[in-house]
Amino acid sequence: MQTVSFSDGFYKRILDNMLEGCQILSFDWTYLYLNTTAERQSRRPSSELLGKRFFDAWPGVESTRLFALIRDCLEQRIPSELENEFQFTDGTSGWFELRISPIEEGVFIMSLDITRRKELEAQLRESEEQLRQSQKMESIGRLAAGVAHDFNNMLSVILGHVELAKMDNEIAQRLREHLGEIQRAAQSSSNLTKQLLAFARKQTISPQSVNLNDIIADKLPIIGRLIGRNIKTSWTPDPSLNNTLIDAAQFEQVLLNLCINARDAIGAAGTITIETGNCVVDEQYVITHPDAIMGDFVQLTVSDTGCGIARENIPKIFEPFFTSKQLGRGTGLGLSIVYGIIRQNNGFINVYSEVDQGSTFRVYLPCLQSDVTSVAPRDAGDYLSRGSETVLLVDDEPQILEVTKQLLESLGYHVLATSDPAEAVRLAADYPQEIHLMFTDVVMHQTTGPALAARVRESRPSMKLLYTSGYTENVVVHNGLLDPGINFLNKPFSMHELNSKTRQALDTL
């Protein structure tokens, strides 16, 4: 067996103790020498390699770039270096940084194992991509909230004028029918903006301490009707599931949207599996999932046996209006609503999917801690009686101000209306009679509704408050949670809703 003879053991000791692997191949590709590091990197004892030709030791290596570079070095004496993923005979692989140099005996190969570095680089790239995706979702959310806010303002004007027009008993029946169609279309548009606000996490909500098992069990009959007879539902609850703090209606949206999405992915026949459980998210998970949060969570898992999601589409599936479904099969808002609701409730969601194998959506919601006080939903009531009180109305959108003023006056209220917060303060101070209620937009160009309320209450400490907004990223809604005791009316609103909320605010003790 031909090997390299070291006349001085000093040099062999140096090579054998190097951190880099060292190999020598003869001109006929025979292994002449491996140091201990190269032996370890090869995952085979040197006795199996010394005296054996390189391509006999590693079947299939002839088709690789590594082989071509070694050949160039042996035949043309061209040195080279590269990063190479080497495939071992047991099916595993490793990454090596290689330097290939011509020597008198043939070729000298120095190798540094960079497998761990490559793994960390891949994890970093994945984390960076997830962070970019998270930042993009935040930007889209802000855009969606702004669009919904402005759109809601316009819808308020449309619906308000329709309500006023329908109050005219002299209009023709045919015109009344047209007004009804306008009203229905505007209300449908309002539902669309609510979906956008759900994605943008600007909904007002009333959270409660709930057990997800109870809600899911209650909704299983509805889910069965939604998905059809050909799709089986498998329900596996964790009997020891912890409670979480969430608006029950919001969680129903999450559950139904995930099941509808699973149904559409399955098509003709298959299975949707719904599971719950408790879990702990640790630091390692957070490192690889930037959206995740460390702590104790309850988990909802919805899996399907459907078509799966293409890898390139997974980063896009929570974006509003993105859909891979056929035209007319979906709006592209279902998963974006799920995403918005989960984030609004301090949770997160992840997806695992393989094409033609199905998908699994895992929703994580924080466990309810013992020091968290659940907030019971307030009954809005159904106040239908007319009023006669004085209302200070403040909105910096003139069209909304005018139509809301007319609606309140048609309900019997005396209205002091202004689009200028400073003027509202002066009206409150100078008006000679009692002002019973201030109805104000939350977010205005010059101030906020709560800040204005604090100034007005300096002269009117007993005045009641009612807030309105197309979205509510402000002091009225802290982290998406409606403050207890705050009277709030979403834009756009109907006359009935305005009447009910106004009376509720006035009659609150």
Side-chain angles (χ1 to χ4, degrees):
M1 180 175 65
Q2 182 186 8
T3 61
V4 173
S5 176
F6 290 91
S7 57
D8 189 338
F10 174 73
Y11 297 108
K12 185 177 186 301
R13 286 195 301 274
I14 291 175
L15 292 175
D16 282 343
N17 284 283
M18 288 181 65
L19 295 176
E20 295 86 355
C22 299
Q23 307 173 49
I24 298 176
L25 299 178
S26 69
F27 285 98
D28 66 353
W29 294 84
T30 300
Y31 272 106
L32 302 181
Y33 171 75
L34 294 91
N35 71 350
T36 53
T37 302
E39 182 179 15
R40 185 169 62 252
Q41 291 174 351
S42 299
R43 304 181 189 177
R44 295 168 67 177
S46 59
S47 58
E48 290 185 8
L49 298 174
L50 290 174
K52 198 170 187 176
R53 291 194 297 180
F54 184 72
F55 42 79
D56 292 331
W58 309 106
V61 75
E62 298 94 331
S63 62
T64 66
R65 180 168 176 252
L66 172 62
F67 185 87
L69 292 176
I70 295 175
R71 182 183 59 210
D72 290 344
C73 189
L74 287 170
E75 296 177 356
Q76 303 177 44
R77 317 306 285 163
I78 301 174
S80 59
E81 58 183 55
L82 77 156
E83 289 185 357
N84 178 67
E85 185 178 19
F86 194 85
Q87 302 293 328
F88 295 99
T89 54
D90 62 359
T92 62
S93 65
W95 276 93
F96 298 93
E97 188 177 85
L98 302 171
R99 288 176 174 81
I100 305 167
S101 306
I103 58 173
E104 184 178 343
E105 289 80 7
V107 65
F108 181 82
I109 305 171
M110 181 177 288
S111 54
L112 179 65
D113 191 337
I114 58 171
T115 303
R116 180 57 181 161
R117 191 187 84 190
K118 284 291 186 179
E119 290 173 351
L120 292 174
E121 287 175 352
Q123 290 177 6
L124 179 60
R125 285 194 301 271
E126 182 179 357
S127 296
E128 288 174 343
E129 179 57 33
Q130 289 176 334
L131 178 59
R132 282 192 293 270
Q133 180 66 13
S134 177
Q135 290 171 336
K136 182 172 73 171
M137 295 294 282
E138 290 295 328
S139 297
I140 294 173
R142 287 193 293 270
L143 174 63
V147 170
H149 173 259
D150 293 342
F151 195 42
N152 272 343
N153 280 341
M154 294 301 99
L155 288 174
S156 296
V157 175
I158 294 169
L159 286 169
H161 281 292
V162 168
E163 295 266 15
L164 291 169
K166 289 175 70 176
M167 293 172 63
D168 186 351
N169 294 324
E170 297 181 3
I171 64 172
Q173 179 59 31
R174 184 60 178 163
L175 179 56
R176 189 176 296 277
E177 291 173 1
H178 287 312
L179 289 171
E181 291 299 322
I182 293 171
Q183 188 176 41
R184 281 187 286 274
Q187 288 168 343
S188 296
S189 299
S190 173
N191 291 332
L192 179 62
T193 62
K194 287 177 182 177
Q195 291 177 316
L196 285 173
L197 289 172
F199 166 74
R201 310 196 299 278
K202 302 296 187 292
Q203 284 180 312
T204 53
I205 58 175
S206 297
Q208 301 171 265
S209 171
V210 298
N211 190 288
L212 301 187
N213 287 343
D214 297 335
I215 300 175
I216 297 169
D218 184 59
K219 295 301 171 186
L220 284 177
I222 296 176
I223 293 170
R225 290 193 293 271
L226 284 172
I227 65 176
R229 296 181 179 179
N230 293 331
I231 298 177
K232 179 184 175 183
T233 302
S234 175
W235 164 225
T236 308
D238 182 346
S240 61
L241 189 70
N242 292 320
N243 279 17
T244 187
L245 191 67
I246 190 172
D247 185 300
Q250 276 198 320
F251 179 73
E252 290 171 13
Q253 279 186 284
V254 169
L255 177 65
L256 295 178
N257 277 327
L258 288 177
C259 289
I260 290 170
N261 188 71
R263 177 202 66 187
D264 293 343
I266 290 171
T271 302
I272 296 174
T273 302
I274 305 171
E275 303 170 90
T276 57
N278 300 310
C279 68
V280 178
V281 176
D282 58 17
E283 183 178 5
Q284 186 60 40
Y285 188 90
V286 173
I287 290 172
T288 55
H289 297 78
D291 275 353
I293 308 163
M294 289 179 58
D296 297 326
F297 290 84
V298 297
Q299 185 183 81
L300 164 70
T301 304
V302 178
S303 306
D304 65 69
T305 57
C307 60
I309 305 167
R311 186 176 298 273
E312 64 271 17
N313 286 338
I314 288 179
K316 307 173 188 174
I317 59 174
F318 295 115
E319 296 177 8
F321 305 116
F322 174 82
T323 180
S324 58
K325 300 174 185 177
Q326 296 177 356
L327 187 63
R329 289 295 304 274
T331 63
L333 283 173
L335 289 179
S336 67
I337 291 170
V338 169
Y339 178 88
I341 289 173
I342 297 307
R343 292 302 301 272
Q344 186 177 18
N345 286 278
N346 302 313
F348 61 96
I349 181 170
N350 67 35
V351 185
Y352 177 79
S353 185
E354 296 286 348
V355 174
D356 298 327
Q357 300 299 315
S359 304
T360 295
F361 288 78
R362 291 186 176 90
V363 171
Y364 298 80
L365 293 167
C367 285
L368 182 61
Q369 302 300 319
S370 58
D371 59 345
V372 177
T373 303
S374 62
V375 182
R378 293 181 292 121
D379 184 8
D382 190 21
Y383 300 95
L384 299 177
S385 59
R386 292 165 59 82
S388 59
E389 293 91 342
T390 298
V391 177
L392 175 58
L393 174 64
V394 189
D395 197 305
D396 60 357
E397 293 288 341
Q399 289 179 297
I400 296 176
L401 183 73
E402 180 58 27
V403 73
T404 307
K405 178 177 182 292
Q406 293 183 46
L407 289 171
L408 286 169
E409 287 175 341
S410 70
L411 291 169
Y413 297 100
H414 176 59
V415 182
L416 306 173
T418 178
S419 59
D420 182 1
E423 175 65 15
V425 175
R426 287 193 294 272
L427 279 171
D430 298 341
Y431 188 71
Q433 299 176 26
E434 183 178 1
I435 300 177
H436 302 85
L437 173 73
M438 183 170 75
F439 182 26
T440 178
D441 196 6
V442 175
V443 179
M444 294 174 282
H445 297 301
Q446 300 176 30
T447 187
T448 66
L452 175 61
R455 294 179 61 193
V456 168
R457 275 188 159 170
E458 292 176 4
S459 59
R460 303 279 177 170
S462 63
M463 184 182 65
K464 304 295 179 60
L465 298 172
L466 174 60
Y467 294 100
T468 185
S469 181
Y471 68 95
T472 52
E473 191 179 20
N474 47 68
V475 295
V476 178
V477 178
H478 295 286
N479 297 322
L481 307 179
L482 185 64
D483 272 351
I486 295 295
N487 293 301
F488 184 86
L489 178 59
N490 275 308
K491 292 179 181 178
F493 43 78
S494 67
M495 180 182 289
H496 179 86
E497 290 168 333
L498 176 61
N499 184 32
S500 175
K501 283 292 184 179
T502 302
R503 287 267 33 108
Q504 179 183 351
L506 285 166
D507 295 341
T508 300
L509 296 178

